[in-house]
Amino acid sequence: MSADELCHLTIGDAAPLLHDGRLSPVELTEAFLARIERLNPTLHAYVLVTAERARADAERAEAEIKAGHYRGPLHGIPIALKDLYDTAGFPTTACSHVHVNRVPTEDAETTARLAAAGAVLLGKLTTHEFAFGGPSWDLPTPPARNPWNTEHFTGGSSSGSGSATAAGLAMATLGSDTAGSIRMPAFFCGVTGLKPTYGLVSRRGVTPLAYSLDHCGPLTWTVADCALMMNVLAGHDPRDPASADVALPDYAAALDGDIAGKRIGLIRHFYDGDTDAAEPVKTAMAAATATFEDLGATVEEVTLPALQDFHACNFVIMLAEAYAIHQKSLRETPELYGEILRDRMMMASLLSGLDYVQALRMRTRLKAAVDALFTRHDFLITAGGWAPAPRLQTMPKFYVFENPLITSPFNVSGHPAICVCNGFSPEGLPVGMQIVGRPFDDAGVLGIAAAYERATPYREARPTVD
Amino acid sequence: MASDPRRNRRALTQGGLEKQMVNTMPGKGNDMTIEEFRRRLAAEGLKPDEAALKEMYDALPMLQAMRARVHGDYDMAEEPASTFNARLGL
């Protein structure tokens, strides 16, 4: 197997090889480091490559496995983190000049969990500034590029996570999602991105954008790899005030189930009504609906409040909470911010306490509307976005204010939502579908996503970068 | 709050970045002058340059459109999603 072929293994492929000694963690890690060195100057997915740390992690994993101390499916697996996740001794900058010299002394809870599972840390990944300002060319590092066509956008804010996962520059990555920042890069880059139920994965040690909307979760090539990541990431963290103390299933054990008889609600109006999505998105959703019916599920169209209501609720809360975080440094050192984030945050200063509380009251209504659908349906599906990735260029600074993201409703409601690839445009750019479940039924979401993935061919081809 | 496509929908333009610009939340125009806008920011300790100020002022209707949407007709008993939970607060 060539070095590049090693980089296109899934975790599910590599783990048994590592366990049995047929693949060395050191060899695997060196293959990824070489590929990163070759392709990152084009893709800009990494802002920091922790090569020495990665080699040390890999050597430790190899020694432990040889000694019979196999920790589990992530042991020896090369992963990377969005540059919001604290890494003790390594910079965590949020891709901002504001934090350019910030070196945490403690790992984020999620960083520590991955290390304890034996994962190999390859480095830190590009993000929009503080997960909200981008794509920008006035930050310490340039925006990431889409491996399916490097002239195109990755989506954000977990831009490096989407790019690296698709390009085989890490077997799994972590992103964060406040309005869609895991699922949008998954949509644009053709990978799998899970926004878990709010409270299921710790946010502690992850630079916040908006406390009540932030979710941490994995991006991987396959649904099965996402489940393997969740087996390590999910769990109560008493030091995260929003962390839920709930019983945890084996997420990887939920993937082989039969979905016959499952009741699926299709939220068509989010992409065909409230917005008018591009034809590849509509075509892919129609085909996905037919696939679920072929698998024995029933699909019925359902209606929620307008996407624009979810968007307004999401954005008023997000802007207000983000401004509370950035107010002091925005007053004292505005020149350290990128122009996009700086001006968006200045706009946020105009929101009032009344605006924020009314948005939170609206949130209660909107969550109830989503919950109500789950009395008659097991899962909901809708598009992940409106159109394949646009060209990467300077975007209007405030386009996010008036263009509702189809992902944002489930940040408002907190329900688990995964984005999986469900087709390609005629130009070869991927599109994706969201699958949404009841709170804390992340295993069910992964199960139905895995069934869809098995029934479709979209995991067969990787992007060709070089 | 049922979805009303006539209210929300706007045709997309074709191709590239423009295809992403759905613009389904058009504002209704500014409810403050640019001088009032400048004073509001200054009161917050924020002093953008003139170009940024003008750009933000032009975008103000988008923010106002979002604010208008969240100002619903709520019953007194309708509590915000953030209502304090003593169990979670411990």
Side-chain angles (χ1 to χ4, degrees), chain A residues 404-452:
Chain A
L405 297 170
I406 302 173
T407 44
S408 67
F410 311 110
N411 296 86
V412 170
S413 73
H415 292 74
I418 197 168
C419 186
V420 294
C421 183
N422 71 337
F424 289 85
S425 71
E427 297 76 28
L429 291 167
V431 294
M433 164 180 63
Q434 292 181 88
I435 302 169
V436 185
R438 296 184 176 95
F440 299 104
D441 188 21
D442 300 61
V445 168
L446 289 162
I448 193 167
Y452 175 78

Side-chain angles (χ1 to χ4, degrees), chain A residues 330-371:
Chain A
L330 196 64
R331 284 178 174 177
E332 294 174 354
T333 55
E335 71 282 1
L336 293 182
Y337 285 89
E339 183 181 338
I340 291 178
L341 183 64
R342 182 197 68 203
D343 291 356
R344 288 178 184 172
M345 286 294 93
M346 286 196 186
M347 293 287 280
S349 75
L350 299 173
L351 293 171
S352 68
L354 178 65
D355 296 329
Y356 182 62
V357 173
Q358 299 297 57
L360 289 172
R361 295 172 89 189
M362 186 184 204
R363 185 179 195 175
T364 303
R365 282 189 185 179
L366 294 173
K367 182 182 185 306
V370 181
D371 283 336

Side-chain angles (χ1 to χ4, degrees), chain A residues 188 241 269 273-276 278 304-306 308-309 311-313 315-316 319 323 327 330-331 339 342-343 346-347 349-351 354-355 358-366 386-388 390 393 395-399 401-404, chain B residues 1-5 7-12 16-17 19-25 32 37 40-41 43-49 52 55-57 59-60 62-63 66-67 69-82 88:
Chain A
F188 283 139
H269 67 87
D274 297 339
T275 64
D276 184 14
L304 280 169
Q308 286 76 2
D309 286 332
H311 169 76
C313 179
F315 255 69
V316 169
L319 290 171
Y323 184 60
Q327 182 208 32
L330 196 64
R331 284 178 174 177
E339 183 181 338
R342 182 197 68 203
D343 291 356
M346 286 196 186
M347 293 287 280
S349 75
L350 299 173
L351 293 171
L354 178 65
D355 296 329
Q358 299 297 57
L360 289 172
R361 295 172 89 189
M362 186 184 204
R363 185 179 195 175
T364 303
R365 282 189 185 179
L366 294 173
W386 323 299
Q393 55 189 314
M395 295 192 176
K397 203 179 293 178
F398 298 105
Y399 77 97
F401 282 27
E402 61 179 348
N403 291 282
Chain B
M1 292 197 293
S3 179
D4 178 358
R7 177 182 168 209
N8 296 312
R9 186 170 181 167
R10 244 199 211 182
L12 289 166
L17 173 62
K19 188 66 180 171
Q20 301 290 308
M21 300 291 115
V22 181
N23 186 22
T24 55
M25 298 187 63
M32 71 174 84
F37 181 58
R40 288 278 298 274
L41 292 179
E44 277 292 317
L46 305 172
K47 299 183 178 68
D49 62 38
E55 208 172 351
M56 285 190 275
Y57 181 70
L60 196 52
M62 302 177 201
L63 185 68
M66 288 193 283
R67 293 178 62 217
R69 275 191 182 263
V70 303
H71 284 264
D73 183 18
Y74 301 104
D75 184 84
M76 190 181 296
E78 286 191 73
E79 299 203 19
S82 62
L88 292 178

Side-chain angles (χ1 to χ4, degrees), chain A residues 67-397:
Chain A
H69 303 303
Y70 183 65
R71 301 192 198 187
L74 297 193
H75 205 172
I77 298 293
I79 57 99
L81 307 171
K82 184 176 185 178
D83 198 27
L84 301 179
Y85 284 76
D86 278 356
T87 40
F90 295 100
T92 299
T93 72
C95 287
S96 176
H97 289 290
V98 176
H99 279 183
V100 77
N101 296 316
R102 180 173 176 272
V103 180
T105 56
E106 186 181 2
D107 280 343
E109 171 69 11
T110 38
T111 306
R113 281 172 178 258
L114 289 168
V120 172
L121 178 63
L122 293 169
K124 309 295 286 289
L125 299 164
T126 301
T127 169
H128 290 356
E129 186 177 26
F130 286 107
F132 193 45
S136 303
W137 281 261
D138 59 355
L139 305 180
T141 47
R145 290 182 176 272
N146 193 319
W148 294 95
N149 184 331
T150 57
E151 295 299 313
H152 285 246
F153 186 34
T154 55
S157 62
S158 306
S159 50
S161 307
S163 180
T165 305
L169 300 187
M171 276 194 180
T173 63
L174 293 190
S176 65
D177 191 317
T178 308
S181 289
I182 288 173
R183 289 161 291 158
M184 287 307 301
F187 175 92
F188 283 139
C189 296
V191 301
T192 303
L194 175 67
K195 181 202 79 65
T197 305
Y198 186 76
L200 185 58
V201 174
S202 173
R203 305 159 305 144
R204 180 171 58 81
V206 181
T207 306
L209 171 55
Y211 303 110
S212 74
L213 295 164
D214 289 345
H215 299 67
C216 295
L219 293 92
T220 56
W221 184 248
T222 63
V223 175
D225 283 1
C226 214
L228 292 171
M229 290 289 283
M230 285 300 290
N231 274 348
V232 169
L233 297 170
H236 183 53
D237 175 7
R239 294 169 64 195
D240 174 350
S243 178
D245 193 358
V246 294
L248 300 173
D250 177 349
Y251 294 97
L255 301 178
D256 296 328
D258 185 357
I259 68 165
K262 297 294 183 191
R263 301 161 303 170
I264 296 173
L266 168 67
I267 316 168
R268 185 195 304 275
H269 67 87
F270 278 0
Y271 62 90
D272 188 4
D274 297 339
T275 64
D276 184 14
E279 280 307 318
V281 172
K282 292 179 184 172
T283 302
M285 285 305 299
T289 299
T291 299
F292 282 125
E293 289 172 337
D294 289 346
L295 292 170
T298 60
V299 182
E300 179 184 70
E301 195 162 333
V302 297
T303 304
L304 280 169
L307 179 62
Q308 286 76 2
D309 286 332
F310 284 97
H311 169 76
C313 179
N314 179 268
F315 255 69
V316 169
I317 294 169
M318 179 170 65
L319 290 171
E321 293 185 3
Y323 184 60
I325 291 166
H326 292 284
Q327 182 208 32
K328 185 171 183 290
S329 51
L330 196 64
R331 284 178 174 177
E332 294 174 354
T333 55
E335 71 282 1
L336 293 182
Y337 285 89
E339 183 181 338
I340 291 178
L341 183 64
R342 182 197 68 203
D343 291 356
R344 288 178 184 172
M345 286 294 93
M346 286 196 186
M347 293 287 280
S349 75
L350 299 173
L351 293 171
S352 68
L354 178 65
D355 296 329
Y356 182 62
V357 173
Q358 299 297 57
L360 289 172
R361 295 172 89 189
M362 186 184 204
R363 185 179 195 175
T364 303
R365 282 189 185 179
L366 294 173
K367 182 182 185 306
V370 181
D371 283 336
L373 292 182
F374 284 106
T375 60
R376 295 189 56 226
H377 298 89
D378 300 305
F379 301 98
L380 306 175
I381 59 172
T382 191
W386 323 299
R391 291 181 72 81
L392 181 62
Q393 55 189 314
T394 302
M395 295 192 176
K397 203 179 293 178

